[in-house]
Amino acid sequence: MFVFKNAWKSVIRNKGRNILIAIIVAIIAAAATIGLSIRQSANTARETGLENTSVTGQISVDRSKLINASSTSSSSSSGSQPDFSAIREALSDKELSLSDYQKYAKLSSVSSSYYTETTSLAETDSFQPVSTTSSSSSSSSSSSGSSDSNAQQPGGGMGGGMESTTSSGDFQLVGFSSDEAVKNASNGSFTMTSGEVFDYTTSSDKQVIISKSLADFNNLKVGSTITVASATDSSKTYSLKVVGIYKNTTESSTSTGGPGGGSTANDAANAIYTSVSTLKALGLDASSKVTTTDSSGNSTSSAAAQISYTYVFNDESSFKSFKTQAKKAGLSSDYTVSSADVEEYESSLIPLNNLSQFALTLLLIVLGVGAVVLIVLSLFNVRERKYEVGVLTAMGVKKSKVAAQFAIELLIVTMIGLGIGAVAGAATSVPVSNQLLASQVAQQESETSSQQAQFGRGAAGPGTSSGSSSSSSSSSSGTGSGTQAAAPTQGNGGGQFGAQAVDYVSSVNSTVSLSMVGQLILIGLGLTLLSALVGVIFVMRYEPLQILADRS
């Protein structure tokens, strides 16, 4: 009790020095509070940002693995030319069938699923694609049975992840499995200007909806009948009934004909939407086969359409469970399970993660400098009170108790400063954090815009953003609420390319939690023990008689 009473009296008696120590500790505590709140927000956003948000996932072929494995096994010596035939063979016949996709859709982790099937069609004299040129890229202009040499590239949501086996054509005929698939159309959302969307039963076979641009270009209206040709055989035609006309919410920035004068099928305006039942009735679904002949006369048989199958999960944890369940259900290691939503959200956290790293560095610097300052002050304090130490020890007070008194004094002052700093840090953490985060977001957007301008990534295809990455006002709370970035478009064979806009997490609600309070207390105790250690060492080295003799 003597030690505590004497320590408190010393705190009251030496107000100037203790106020200075309290101010230094308060500054350290405020900086620590802000830094810890930023890191807590970043961790919470990473761990729980998609906890209560549905995400989508796809199964795709792991091309890199197959190519590397094939190259390794076929290469006889280092630096030799790759065995292209072996690599192509390794990549061939890897597309999953519709029944395969549906088998994995029955797993318990899957909330729902939808899919699209995409094929190409060619123009006829009575029905032309929206185009600025008089000549068409259609394969219908070629002899019967020939194919365009440039195959389409599938988008990121393509099920098999393999190159398209259909010709470029003039139109894309996209078959949807459900309304959910329509809402997530590869070319983005749209609204109906007239008519209505088909249903998905056989009673609606051969019913389609077309874009307003395509309808105006061909002077069509609801109820009109259009005739299109096979992309591989111009003599084979199909009659389809227009039951609706839609307008894309966001107009495509891709010029008609696609990059480099490619197929007009790449233009979102030339997308024809229907049901998967229609594709099956026409013999153009993924289970049907078409034969194509290249310029050398070699014929190949392939699927008439490509499948883009999407699984929907209630949250990120369900998506992770699906990856495990799919492997147990027989999914080969040649395939990977990915989620564009998860990847998009992780990309949106880049500025927050950068700020979190900056906050950690700043916190370490502040703690290091603060510890040095407190050690110096503690050293001066002990040296100034050297006579007091001599008197106490000469009176019979043990050196350990004297050292404990100095430590308790410092602890009292440190805790007071810690409390003041924590309150100040909690009050300013949100505006300061958001201001720093806004700077990080602006820097990230500037870098992205610069990259897009330098490499031309701004020329986005249908369904993608044509500008720089945009920020959102979404928030990531320190109590666990995160925000999902905008879901990326499902590229199912539209020849789409370009940079995807990212909605960066641009604000945080960095509240002070109990765990953060505990961390602050540990920081205070650590600073106290470290700085008090110097005083303890000096006290233990002092000899009371020598101190008193020197004073005399």
Side-chain angles (χ1 to χ4, degrees):
M1 186 60 68
F2 166 77
V3 174
F4 287 98
K5 288 183 178 180
N6 210 34
W8 177 249
K9 290 179 180 179
S10 180
V11 170
I12 301 299
R13 184 169 59 250
N14 301 291
K15 294 185 178 65
R17 183 186 64 245
N18 292 327
I19 289 175
L20 177 61
I21 295 176
I23 291 175
I24 294 173
V25 174
I27 295 174
I28 295 174
T33 301
I34 295 174
L36 291 174
S37 65
I38 291 174
R39 291 186 59 78
Q40 177 181 266
S41 297
N43 291 334
T44 301
R46 282 193 297 267
E47 296 171 2
T48 63
L50 297 177
E51 191 175 53
N52 300 313
T53 304
S54 62
V55 298
T56 59
Q58 297 81 28
I59 298 176
S60 59
V61 173
D62 191 345
R63 283 185 171 183
S64 297
K65 178 184 176 181
L66 293 174
I67 292 174
N68 291 335
S70 178
S71 300
T72 302
S73 60
S74 62
S75 178
S76 58
S77 61
S78 177
S80 63
Q81 181 174 334
D83 187 343
F84 296 113
S85 298
I87 296 175
R88 291 191 181 98
E89 183 178 355
L91 294 175
S92 63
D93 299 326
K94 290 296 182 180
E95 297 90 342
L96 294 178
S97 65
L98 180 60
S99 59
D100 291 331
Y101 287 117
Q102 291 174 334
K103 177 182 71 173
Y104 300 120
K106 296 177 182 178
L107 296 176
S108 60
S109 56
V110 179
S111 172
S112 62
S113 63
Y114 58 88
Y115 67 96
T116 60
E117 295 185 351
T118 306
T119 189
S120 296
L121 294 174
E123 66 175 23
T124 60
D125 292 338
S126 60
F127 186 60
Q128 302 281 315
V130 177
S131 177
T132 58
T133 59
S134 58
S135 61
S136 170
S137 63
S138 170
S139 58
S140 62
S141 61
S142 306
S143 60
S144 176
S146 66
S147 71
D148 194 303
S149 60
N150 295 322
Q152 297 176 37
Q153 286 294 110
M158 186 59 59
M162 306 301 292
E163 289 187 1
S164 172
T165 54
T166 60
S167 300
S168 295
D170 300 297
F171 307 98
Q172 273 197 348
L173 182 62
V174 183
F176 297 92
S177 64
S178 62
D179 285 346
E180 191 172 12
V182 173
K183 288 191 296 184
N184 293 276
S186 62
N187 294 319
S189 60
F190 61 85
T191 56
M192 300 298 296
T193 60
S194 59
E196 60 183 13
V197 177
F198 45 81
D199 60 40
Y200 309 96
T201 63
T202 55
S203 61
S204 295
D205 283 352
K206 299 185 179 181
Q207 293 183 356
V208 300
I209 61 175
I210 61 176
S211 69
K212 189 174 187 304
S213 298
L214 187 58
D216 294 341
F217 193 84
N218 289 274
N219 193 25
L220 299 173
K221 59 183 180 180
V222 173
S224 299
T225 298
I226 60 175
T227 302
V228 289
S230 167
T232 57
D233 186 356
S234 58
S235 63
K236 191 172 185 179
T237 59
Y238 310 94
S239 294
L240 305 171
K241 182 179 179 181
V242 178
V243 295
I245 297 174
Y246 70 87
K247 182 177 181 180
N248 288 320
T249 303
T250 303
E251 291 295 333
S252 168
S253 61
T254 303
S255 59
T256 303
S263 169
T264 54
N266 291 336
D267 194 330
N270 294 322
I272 302 173
Y273 294 158
T274 187
S275 65
V276 292
S277 177
T278 293
L279 265 67
K280 186 174 183 179
L282 297 176
L284 295 175
D285 62 326
S287 62
S288 302
K289 299 292 183 180
V290 294
T291 301
T292 57
T293 305
D294 59 22
S295 57
S296 301
N298 299 318
S299 298
T300 56
S301 180
S302 55
Q306 290 183 322
I307 301 177
S308 175
Y309 206 101
T310 301
Y311 302 95
V312 182
F313 310 96
N314 290 328
D315 48 39
E316 187 180 8
S317 61
S318 297
F319 165 71
K320 292 179 179 178
S321 298
F322 174 76
K323 297 172 72 172
T324 303
Q325 293 177 358
K327 296 296 182 183
K328 292 181 178 179
L331 182 65
S332 170
S333 59
D334 293 340
Y335 300 89
T336 60
V337 180
S338 60
S339 172
D341 292 340
V342 173
E343 294 171 0
E344 182 82 2
Y345 184 71
E346 290 175 350
S347 296
S348 74
L349 294 178
I350 290 176
L352 185 58
N353 291 335
N354 292 340
L355 182 59
S356 176
Q357 187 62 40
F358 169 76
L360 176 60
T361 303
L362 181 62
L363 178 60
L364 294 177
I365 293 174
V366 169
L367 290 179
V369 174
V372 171
V373 173
L374 289 178
I375 289 174
V376 172
L377 290 177
S378 179
L379 176 60
F380 282 124
N381 180 38
V382 173
R383 290 177 65 87
E384 287 176 0
R385 298 168 62 185
K386 186 176 180 180
Y387 182 72
E388 180 183 343
V389 174
V391 172
L392 290 174
T393 52
M395 291 171 57
V397 180
K398 294 182 179 180
K399 289 184 179 180
S400 58
K401 289 187 175 182
V402 176
Q405 175 187 323
F406 279 91
I408 292 172
E409 289 177 19
L410 188 58
L411 180 62
I412 293 173
V413 177
T414 300
M415 288 297 111
I416 293 175
L418 191 68
I420 296 173
V423 172
T428 59
S429 61
V430 173
V432 171
S433 299
N434 287 331
Q435 184 64 36
L436 294 174
L437 183 56
S439 300
Q440 288 289 334
V441 170
Q443 180 181 353
Q444 188 68 28
E445 289 179 338
S446 177
E447 291 177 358
T448 304
S449 299
S450 176
Q451 183 179 14
Q452 289 176 341
Q454 182 177 3
F455 295 100
R457 298 293 192 259
T464 59
S465 171
S466 60
S468 62
S469 299
S470 60
S471 65
S472 72
S473 59
S474 58
S475 64
S476 169
S477 172
T479 57
S481 63
T483 305
Q484 180 186 4
T489 56
Q490 303 286 333
N492 59 352
Q496 301 175 27
F497 71 103
Q500 179 71 37
V502 176
D503 292 331
Y504 293 119
V505 173
S506 58
S507 64
V508 292
N509 181 19
S510 46
T511 55
V512 177
S513 63
L514 291 177
S515 62
M516 191 185 303
V517 173
Q519 292 174 359
L520 289 173
I521 292 175
L522 290 177
I523 289 174
L525 291 175
L527 291 174
T528 301
L529 294 175
L530 183 61
S531 55
L533 181 61
V534 177
V536 170
I537 293 174
F538 273 84
V539 169
M540 299 303 291
R541 291 176 57 188
Y542 286 157
E543 293 296 333
L545 296 179
Q546 185 65 42
I547 293 174
L548 295 176
D550 292 340
R551 180 62 177 253
S552 299

